[in-house]
Each structure stands twice: as C-alpha cells, then as structure tokens.
Amino acid sequence: MGLLDGLLGNASESDAQEIQQELTHLLATGERVEKAYAVLRDLLVFTNKRLVLVDKQGVTGKKVEYLSIPYRSVERFSMETTGHFDLESELKIWVRGQTDPISKTFRDDKSIRDVNRALAEYAL
C-alpha cells in the first residue's frame, strides 16, 4: 500500500531506521530521524532537531536537494483539505526570513493530517 500511496501522491509513513541510514551523511552527531513521510519521490523527515525536506529531481532522481529547517524557524503552517471539486490537499509552511511559504501537495486528507500532526508536535 505504501508504494501505491506514493505513486498517487499520498503521503505514506516511511521506516525511520531506513531513512536514518539513508541520511547518515546529512545528520549531526546525536541527531536521529523520528518520523518520515514519502510523497512520490520526495521525503518530509522529522528529526529530533529539524525538519528536512528531500526533493529528488530529474528523471532518475539522482540529483537531490536537501532543505533543512530548524523547528525554531517555522513561524506558522496551514493545511487545506480536499473538497468536492478540489481533489488535492495542500500543506504550507512559512519559514522565518522567507516571504513565500513552502508548499506541498497531497492527494488525500488522511495523509496531510498525519504530516500536519507531526509538524505540530515538533514545531510548537
């Protein structure tokens, strides 16, 4: 179900230990992955210190952008759920020093609610 969810644009919770191994080169000493969600090829990773957005680019996904956001820099965030005609949910995160929010699109409300709850746990 996780692979199918990812292909459809639904966030699926990923194994934190597996993501910990994948991001070893990026994590600080004592930093650990606590929750991770996959959306298509991208990841939203919640560590004990920060939020890491992993954006795999290109056809092969070999080029990767890692955006690190310390929780103290999250000013606010919003969640827009699906409607009758609008079938996509949207999560927006405003980061200190940026005028435009970071925006992530989801295909179902359960997925975005799980990610929103995790963001609330760590950023508030």
Side-chain angles (χ1 to χ4, degrees), residues 96-122:
R96 187 176 306 128
Q98 294 183 344
T99 55
D100 295 328
I102 296 167
S103 182
K104 293 290 181 187
T105 302
F106 299 81
R107 294 267 184 232
D108 75 5
D109 287 347
K110 183 190 179 317
S111 299
I112 196 170
R113 285 189 172 113
D114 291 345
V115 173
N116 188 68
R117 186 178 307 114
L119 187 56
E121 286 177 21
Y122 293 100

Short mmCIF file of all heavy atoms in Angstrom, two decimals, residues 96-122:
data_model
loop_
_atom_site.label_atom_id
_atom_site.label_comp_id
_atom_site.label_asym_id
_atom_site.label_seq_id
_atom_site.Cartn_x
_atom_site.Cartn_y
_atom_site.Cartn_z
N ARG A 96 10.89 31.62 8.81
CA ARG A 96 11.44 32.94 9.12
C ARG A 96 12.43 33.37 8.03
O ARG A 96 13.30 32.59 7.62
CB ARG A 96 12.15 32.91 10.47
CG ARG A 96 12.61 34.27 10.96
CD ARG A 96 13.23 34.21 12.35
NE ARG A 96 12.31 33.57 13.30
CZ ARG A 96 12.64 32.56 14.09
NH1 ARG A 96 13.84 32.06 14.07
NH2 ARG A 96 11.75 32.05 14.92
N GLY A 97 12.28 34.60 7.55
CA GLY A 97 13.20 35.14 6.54
C GLY A 97 12.73 34.93 5.11
O GLY A 97 13.36 35.43 4.18
N GLN A 98 11.65 34.19 4.91
CA GLN A 98 11.11 33.98 3.57
C GLN A 98 9.70 34.54 3.50
O GLN A 98 8.91 34.35 4.43
CB GLN A 98 11.07 32.49 3.21
CG GLN A 98 12.42 31.85 3.09
CD GLN A 98 12.32 30.40 2.66
OE1 GLN A 98 11.26 29.77 2.72
NE2 GLN A 98 13.42 29.83 2.22
N THR A 99 9.37 35.21 2.40
CA THR A 99 8.03 35.78 2.27
C THR A 99 7.02 34.74 1.78
O THR A 99 5.88 34.74 2.21
CB THR A 99 8.02 36.99 1.31
OG1 THR A 99 8.58 36.58 0.06
CG2 THR A 99 8.82 38.14 1.88
N ASP A 100 7.45 33.85 0.90
CA ASP A 100 6.55 32.83 0.37
C ASP A 100 6.68 31.53 1.16
O ASP A 100 7.78 31.14 1.56
CB ASP A 100 6.88 32.54 -1.10
CG ASP A 100 6.62 33.75 -2.00
OD1 ASP A 100 5.69 34.52 -1.69
OD2 ASP A 100 7.34 33.90 -3.00
N PRO A 101 5.55 30.86 1.37
CA PRO A 101 5.62 29.59 2.12
C PRO A 101 6.16 28.45 1.25
O PRO A 101 6.11 28.51 0.03
CB PRO A 101 4.16 29.34 2.49
CG PRO A 101 3.39 29.98 1.38
CD PRO A 101 4.19 31.20 0.99
N ILE A 102 6.64 27.43 1.92
CA ILE A 102 6.97 26.17 1.26
C ILE A 102 5.66 25.42 1.14
O ILE A 102 4.91 25.32 2.11
CB ILE A 102 7.98 25.37 2.10
CG1 ILE A 102 9.30 26.15 2.19
CG2 ILE A 102 8.19 23.98 1.52
CD1 ILE A 102 10.24 25.62 3.24
N SER A 103 5.36 24.91 -0.03
CA SER A 103 4.07 24.29 -0.27
C SER A 103 4.26 22.84 -0.73
O SER A 103 5.09 22.56 -1.59
CB SER A 103 3.32 25.09 -1.33
OG SER A 103 2.06 24.56 -1.55
N LYS A 104 3.49 21.94 -0.15
CA LYS A 104 3.49 20.53 -0.54
C LYS A 104 2.05 20.11 -0.82
O LYS A 104 1.14 20.43 -0.05
CB LYS A 104 4.07 19.64 0.56
CG LYS A 104 5.55 19.85 0.81
CD LYS A 104 6.36 19.34 -0.35
CE LYS A 104 7.84 19.54 -0.10
NZ LYS A 104 8.63 19.20 -1.27
N THR A 105 1.85 19.37 -1.91
CA THR A 105 0.52 18.94 -2.32
C THR A 105 0.34 17.46 -2.03
O THR A 105 1.24 16.65 -2.27
CB THR A 105 0.32 19.20 -3.83
OG1 THR A 105 0.52 20.60 -4.07
CG2 THR A 105 -1.08 18.82 -4.27
N PHE A 106 -0.85 17.12 -1.54
CA PHE A 106 -1.20 15.74 -1.19
C PHE A 106 -2.49 15.38 -1.90
O PHE A 106 -3.27 16.24 -2.28
CB PHE A 106 -1.41 15.59 0.32
CG PHE A 106 -0.20 15.91 1.14
CD1 PHE A 106 0.15 17.23 1.42
CD2 PHE A 106 0.61 14.90 1.63
CE1 PHE A 106 1.26 17.52 2.18
CE2 PHE A 106 1.72 15.19 2.39
CZ PHE A 106 2.06 16.51 2.66
N ARG A 107 -2.75 14.10 -2.03
CA ARG A 107 -3.96 13.64 -2.71
C ARG A 107 -5.08 13.22 -1.76
O ARG A 107 -6.17 12.96 -2.21
CB ARG A 107 -3.63 12.47 -3.63
CG ARG A 107 -2.75 12.83 -4.76
CD ARG A 107 -3.60 13.17 -5.96
NE ARG A 107 -2.72 13.42 -7.09
CZ ARG A 107 -2.80 14.51 -7.83
NH1 ARG A 107 -3.69 15.41 -7.59
NH2 ARG A 107 -1.98 14.67 -8.83
N ASP A 108 -4.79 13.12 -0.47
CA ASP A 108 -5.88 12.76 0.44
C ASP A 108 -5.73 13.44 1.78
O ASP A 108 -4.65 13.89 2.14
CB ASP A 108 -6.03 11.24 0.58
CG ASP A 108 -4.98 10.58 1.45
OD1 ASP A 108 -4.16 11.29 2.05
OD2 ASP A 108 -4.98 9.35 1.53
N ASP A 109 -6.83 13.56 2.48
CA ASP A 109 -6.86 14.28 3.75
C ASP A 109 -6.17 13.54 4.88
O ASP A 109 -5.56 14.15 5.74
CB ASP A 109 -8.30 14.59 4.15
CG ASP A 109 -8.92 15.69 3.31
OD1 ASP A 109 -8.16 16.39 2.58
OD2 ASP A 109 -10.14 15.85 3.36
N LYS A 110 -6.23 12.20 4.90
CA LYS A 110 -5.59 11.46 5.99
C LYS A 110 -4.08 11.70 5.99
O LYS A 110 -3.48 11.94 7.02
CB LYS A 110 -5.88 9.96 5.89
CG LYS A 110 -5.28 9.19 7.06
CD LYS A 110 -5.34 7.71 6.87
CE LYS A 110 -4.73 6.93 8.01
NZ LYS A 110 -3.47 7.43 8.53
N SER A 111 -3.48 11.65 4.82
CA SER A 111 -2.04 11.86 4.70
C SER A 111 -1.62 13.23 5.21
O SER A 111 -0.68 13.35 6.00
CB SER A 111 -1.60 11.73 3.24
OG SER A 111 -1.89 10.47 2.73
N ILE A 112 -2.31 14.25 4.77
CA ILE A 112 -1.92 15.61 5.15
C ILE A 112 -2.17 15.83 6.64
O ILE A 112 -1.42 16.53 7.30
CB ILE A 112 -2.62 16.67 4.28
CG1 ILE A 112 -1.90 18.02 4.44
CG2 ILE A 112 -4.09 16.78 4.61
CD1 ILE A 112 -2.34 19.08 3.47
N ARG A 113 -3.20 15.19 7.18
CA ARG A 113 -3.46 15.33 8.62
C ARG A 113 -2.35 14.69 9.45
O ARG A 113 -1.94 15.23 10.48
CB ARG A 113 -4.81 14.73 8.97
CG ARG A 113 -5.95 15.62 8.53
CD ARG A 113 -7.30 15.13 9.07
NE ARG A 113 -8.32 16.11 8.77
CZ ARG A 113 -9.32 15.92 7.92
NH1 ARG A 113 -9.46 14.77 7.31
NH2 ARG A 113 -10.19 16.89 7.69
N ASP A 114 -1.82 13.55 9.00
CA ASP A 114 -0.71 12.90 9.71
C ASP A 114 0.53 13.78 9.70
O ASP A 114 1.19 13.95 10.73
CB ASP A 114 -0.39 11.55 9.07
CG ASP A 114 -1.48 10.51 9.28
OD1 ASP A 114 -2.34 10.72 10.16
OD2 ASP A 114 -1.46 9.49 8.57
N VAL A 115 0.84 14.35 8.55
CA VAL A 115 2.02 15.22 8.43
C VAL A 115 1.81 16.50 9.24
O VAL A 115 2.71 16.95 9.94
CB VAL A 115 2.32 15.55 6.95
CG1 VAL A 115 3.43 16.58 6.83
CG2 VAL A 115 2.69 14.27 6.20
N ASN A 116 0.62 17.06 9.18
CA ASN A 116 0.30 18.27 9.95
C ASN A 116 0.43 18.02 11.46
O ASN A 116 0.97 18.85 12.19
CB ASN A 116 -1.11 18.76 9.61
CG ASN A 116 -1.41 20.10 10.22
OD1 ASN A 116 -0.84 21.11 9.84
ND2 ASN A 116 -2.34 20.12 11.18
N ARG A 117 -0.02 16.86 11.91
CA ARG A 117 0.10 16.50 13.33
C ARG A 117 1.57 16.38 13.75
O ARG A 117 1.97 16.87 14.79
CB ARG A 117 -0.64 15.19 13.62
CG ARG A 117 -0.68 14.84 15.10
CD ARG A 117 -1.44 13.56 15.41
NE ARG A 117 -2.78 13.58 14.84
CZ ARG A 117 -3.19 12.75 13.85
NH1 ARG A 117 -2.37 11.86 13.34
NH2 ARG A 117 -4.41 12.82 13.39
N ALA A 118 2.37 15.74 12.89
CA ALA A 118 3.80 15.61 13.18
C ALA A 118 4.46 16.99 13.23
O ALA A 118 5.26 17.28 14.12
CB ALA A 118 4.48 14.74 12.13
N LEU A 119 4.11 17.88 12.31
CA LEU A 119 4.65 19.22 12.29
C LEU A 119 4.27 19.97 13.56
O LEU A 119 5.10 20.65 14.17
CB LEU A 119 4.18 19.97 11.05
CG LEU A 119 4.78 21.34 10.77
CD1 LEU A 119 6.29 21.27 10.70
CD2 LEU A 119 4.22 21.90 9.47
N ALA A 120 3.03 19.81 14.00
CA ALA A 120 2.59 20.46 15.24
C ALA A 120 3.36 19.92 16.44
O ALA A 120 3.75 20.68 17.32
CB ALA A 120 1.08 20.22 15.43
N GLU A 121 3.60 18.62 16.48
CA GLU A 121 4.36 18.03 17.60
C GLU A 121 5.76 18.59 17.71
O GLU A 121 6.24 18.83 18.82
CB GLU A 121 4.45 16.50 17.42
CG GLU A 121 3.18 15.75 17.70
CD GLU A 121 3.32 14.26 17.44
OE1 GLU A 121 4.47 13.75 17.42
OE2 GLU A 121 2.30 13.60 17.25
N TYR A 122 6.41 18.81 16.59
CA TYR A 122 7.81 19.23 16.62
C TYR A 122 8.01 20.74 16.59
O TYR A 122 8.96 21.24 17.18
CB TYR A 122 8.58 18.58 15.46
CG TYR A 122 8.69 17.10 15.62
CD1 TYR A 122 7.86 16.22 14.95
CD2 TYR A 122 9.62 16.55 16.52
CE1 TYR A 122 7.95 14.84 15.12
CE2 TYR A 122 9.71 15.19 16.71
CZ TYR A 122 8.88 14.34 16.00
OH TYR A 122 8.97 12.99 16.19
#
